[in-house]
């Protein structure tokens, strides 16, 4: 499972998925060579980045797709209950667009993956 519900990202550990990222409902235009960065942090510890994805913009666009692979989402050890992480998305490491704000932290919730087939 991989879904984005508002500003919360839900992902089963080891599943791939895409995040379509826009700013101001598509009013903002990303410039060629901008870099959009998704950082996922250990909950309560913004010094501990557990996942980082950078997307370099190749042409002017109003949206960006942040693609997470199955390897990207195998964060940490195998889990047996959901684990909550914090995340932020920034442009050129200068402007955080989604992150901690008046509504609190933005959550990346990782769910246990299925067991091995016998």
């Amino acid at each position: 499972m991989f879904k984005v519900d508002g500003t919360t990202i839900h992902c089963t550990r080891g599943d791939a998925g895409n995040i379509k990222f826009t700013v101001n409902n598509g009013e903002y235009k990303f410039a060629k060579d901008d870099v959009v960065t998704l950082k996922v942090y250990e909950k309560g510890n913004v010094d501990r980045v557990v996942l980082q994805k950078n997307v370099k913009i190749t042409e002017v666009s109003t949206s960006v797709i942040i693609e997470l692979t199955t390897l990207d989402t195998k964060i940490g050890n195998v889990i047996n209950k959901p684990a909550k992480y914090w995340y932020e998305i920034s442009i050129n490491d200068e402007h955080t667009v989604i992150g901690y704000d008046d509504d609190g932290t933005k959550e990346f919730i990782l769910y246990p993956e299925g067991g091995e087939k016998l």
Side-chain angles (χ1 to χ4, degrees):
M1 167 198 51
F2 190 96
K3 72 176 182 174
V4 179
D5 182 18
T7 58
T8 302
I9 301 169
H10 301 266
C11 178
T12 299
R13 186 176 186 277
D15 282 1
N18 294 324
I19 301 166
K20 183 176 181 181
F21 176 63
T22 61
V23 179
N24 293 336
N25 296 317
E27 293 177 17
Y28 178 84
K29 289 188 179 179
F30 297 97
K32 184 179 185 299
D33 296 328
D34 277 349
V35 176
V36 174
T37 302
L38 165 72
K39 289 183 184 176
V40 178
Y41 302 98
E42 189 176 273
K43 182 178 177 180
N45 186 359
V46 294
D47 291 328
R48 172 96 166 90
V49 177
V50 296
L51 168 65
Q52 180 171 328
K53 288 295 280 200
N54 298 318
V55 179
K56 188 170 184 178
I57 307 304
T58 57
E59 61 185 42
V60 175
S61 175
T62 58
S63 67
V64 176
I65 301 296
I66 301 170
E67 185 177 336
L68 299 180
T69 67
T70 58
L71 289 176
D72 292 329
T73 65
K74 288 201 177 221
I75 297 169
N77 297 320
V78 174
I79 56 176
N80 61 9
K81 63 181 181 177
K84 291 184 179 181
Y85 296 87
W86 295 347
Y87 80 92
E88 70 179 19
I89 299 176
S90 63
I91 302 170
N92 297 327
D93 274 334
E94 299 170 354
H95 180 67
T96 300
V97 180
I98 297 177
Y100 193 93
D101 59 20
D102 291 340
D103 296 326
T105 58
K106 302 306 174 249
E107 291 187 329
F108 185 104
I109 303 174
L110 194 65
Y111 297 91
E113 61 189 313
E116 299 279 329
K117 290 184 180 180
L118 299 177

